[in-house]
C-alpha cells in the first residue's frame, strides 16, 4: 500500500492524504492527463467512471459520470483553477446530474493535488476541503458511503493478492 | 463516541441532520444550553413539534437534555460533532481505493514499461 500519511483537520474539514508511487512524477501526472487512464482509477470497479469532457487547463471544465451496478449514472464535474504540470493541480469538484448538469444544491470541495519527485518515485499529496460539516454529510449521502465500502473491499482484495 | 460508527448510529445521525429545523436547533444548542421552550420561540411550529425535533436529535446522540425544575435544557454534544472526523475517515477510504488503483496502473507493464508487475508494498501505514 502506497498511502504513507492521512491527516484530518476537523475544524477546516480538510483531508490530506500522502501517497508514494514507484513511478516518476510525469507518469503519475500522466494518469490525470489521460481520461482513459483516469477512469481506471477514479471510480471503484463496480462504479466505473467515464470522463466526457477532459482538459487540464486553467478555467477548463472536466465532466464525468460513474455508473452504478444498477446502471444509474452519478455525475460529477471539476473546474480547473491552477495547473503546474506535472507538479500541481488545483480544482473545484462538484456533483452533476445524469445529464452532467451541475447540481447547485450539492456541495463543492476544493482540491489541491501535488506531486514531487522522491528517490526513485513520486510523493503525491492530495488535499480536499469541504466547506461545512453539512457538505461532508451530503457528500456521504450522495453515494460516497457505497464507494467507501467498495473501496475497503477492494483494498482487502489488493492485500490478499499481495 | 468511537471512530467506527455503527450503521444504525450513522442512520440516526444522517436522519437527524437531514432536516433544516433540526440543523438550526443543533447550531443553537452547540452555542449554549437552551430550554426547549426557548428554542420553540424561534420556529413557526408548535412547542410539541419542536420537542419532537429535539427528541430526534437526542436519539441520534447529538444533544443531551437535563431537567431543571419544570424546564428541559438541551445542549449540543460536541463529541457528536466530532463525527465529522469519522465522515472524513469514510472519504479517506475512497482515497485509499483510488490510490491502490493508481499503484496498480502505474505498476502494470503497459504503463511502466518495466518488467516488474507488482507495486511496492513496503511503505508504512498510519
Amino acid at each position: 500500500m502506497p498511502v504513507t500519511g492521512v491527516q484530518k483537520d476537523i475544524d477546516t474539514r480538510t483531508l490530506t492524504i500522502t501517497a508514494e508511487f514507484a513511478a516518476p512524477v510525469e507518469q503519475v501526472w500522466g494518469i490525470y492527463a489521460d481520461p482513459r487512464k483516469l477512469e481506471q482509477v477514479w471510480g471503484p470497479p463496480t462504479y466505473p467512471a467515464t470522463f466526457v469532457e477532459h482538459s487540464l487547463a486553467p478555467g477548463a471544465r472536466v465532466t464525468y459520470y460513474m455508473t452504478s451496478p444498477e446502471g444509474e449514472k452519478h455525475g460529477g464535474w471539476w473546474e480547473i483553477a491552477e495547473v503546474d504540470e506535472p507538479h500541481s493541480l488545483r480544482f473545484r469538484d462538484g456533483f452533476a446530474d445524469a445529464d452532467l448538469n451541475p447540481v447547485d444544491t450539492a456541495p463543492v470541495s476544493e482540491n489541491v493535488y501535488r506531486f514531487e519527485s522522491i528517490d526513485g518515485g513520486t510523493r503525491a499529496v492530495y488535499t480536499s476541503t469541504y466547506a461545512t460539516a453539512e457538505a461532508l454529510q451530503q457528500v456521504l449521502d450522495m453515494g460516497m458511503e457505497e464507494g467507501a465500502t467498495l473501496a475497503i473491499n477492494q483494498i482487502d482484495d489488493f492485500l490478499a493478492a499481495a | 463516541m468511537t471512530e467506527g460508527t455503527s450503521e444504525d448510529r450513522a442512520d440516526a445521525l444522517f436522519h437527524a441532520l437531514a432536516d433544516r429545523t433540526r440543523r438550526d436547533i443543533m447550531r443553537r444548542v452547540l452555542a449554549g444550553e437552551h430550554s426547549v421552550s426557548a428554542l420553540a420561540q424561534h420556529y413557526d411550529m408548535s412547542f410539541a413539534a419542536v420537542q419532537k425535533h429535539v427528541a430526534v436529535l437526542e436519539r441520534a446522540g447529538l444533544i443531551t437534555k437535563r431537567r431543571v425544575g419544570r424546564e428541559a435544557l438541551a445542549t449540543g454534544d460536541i463529541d457528536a460533532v466530532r463525527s465529522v472526523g469519522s465522515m472524513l475517515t469514510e472519504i479517506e477510504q475512497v482515497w485509499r481505493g483510488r490510490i491502490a488503483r493508481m499503484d496498480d496502473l502505474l505498476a502494470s507493464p503497459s504503463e511502466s514499461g518495466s518488467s516488474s508487475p507488482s507495486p511496492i508494498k513496503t511503505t508504512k501505514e498510519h
Side-chain angles (χ1 to χ4, degrees), chain A residues 30-54:
Chain A
I31 292 182
Y32 293 94
D34 179 346
R36 299 293 86 81
K37 284 180 186 164
L38 186 53
E39 45 198 32
Q40 290 177 56
V41 305
W42 191 252
T46 46
Y47 272 73
T50 306
F51 282 78
V52 178
E53 292 167 276
H54 182 280

Side-chain angles (χ1 to χ4, degrees), chain B residues 75-102:
Chain B
T75 316
D77 185 341
I78 200 70
D79 282 342
V81 177
R82 292 207 181 100
S83 64
V84 165
S86 18
M87 293 193 271
L88 287 173
T89 301
E90 290 192 47
I91 292 173
E92 172 194 335
Q93 296 308 330
V94 173
W95 270 104
R96 285 180 179 274
R98 281 179 190 155
I99 288 165
R101 288 190 289 277
M102 279 187 71

Side-chain angles (χ1 to χ4, degrees), chain B residues 10-124:
Chain B
D11 278 352
L13 198 65
F14 288 120
H15 170 69
L17 291 169
D19 180 273
R20 179 177 300 198
T21 304
R22 290 199 285 270
R23 287 197 297 270
D24 198 66
I25 291 174
M26 205 54 221
R27 275 190 284 271
R28 291 177 199 277
V29 297
L30 277 172
E33 205 172 42
H34 284 69
S35 72
V36 179
S37 48
L39 284 172
Q41 285 164 16
H42 293 288
Y43 307 101
D44 188 19
M45 59 179 83
S46 70
F47 175 80
V50 172
Q51 205 167 27
K52 233 176 218 176
H53 281 311
V54 170
V56 172
L57 289 166
E58 194 181 11
R59 272 202 300 279
L62 285 164
I63 65 172
T64 52
K65 269 197 324 200
R66 67 186 184 102
R67 199 152 264 292
V68 175
R70 293 179 56 237
E71 276 196 326
L73 297 177
T75 316
D77 185 341
I78 200 70
D79 282 342
V81 177
R82 292 207 181 100
S83 64
V84 165
S86 18
M87 293 193 271
L88 287 173
T89 301
E90 290 192 47
I91 292 173
E92 172 194 335
Q93 296 308 330
V94 173
W95 270 104
R96 285 180 179 274
R98 281 179 190 155
I99 288 165
R101 288 190 289 277
M102 279 187 71
D103 205 23
D104 274 349
L105 182 62
L106 289 167
S108 69
S110 61
E111 171 63 30
S112 64
S114 84
S115 55
S116 161
S118 62
I120 42 163
K121 297 194 179 68
T122 50
T123 41
K124 60 187 180 296

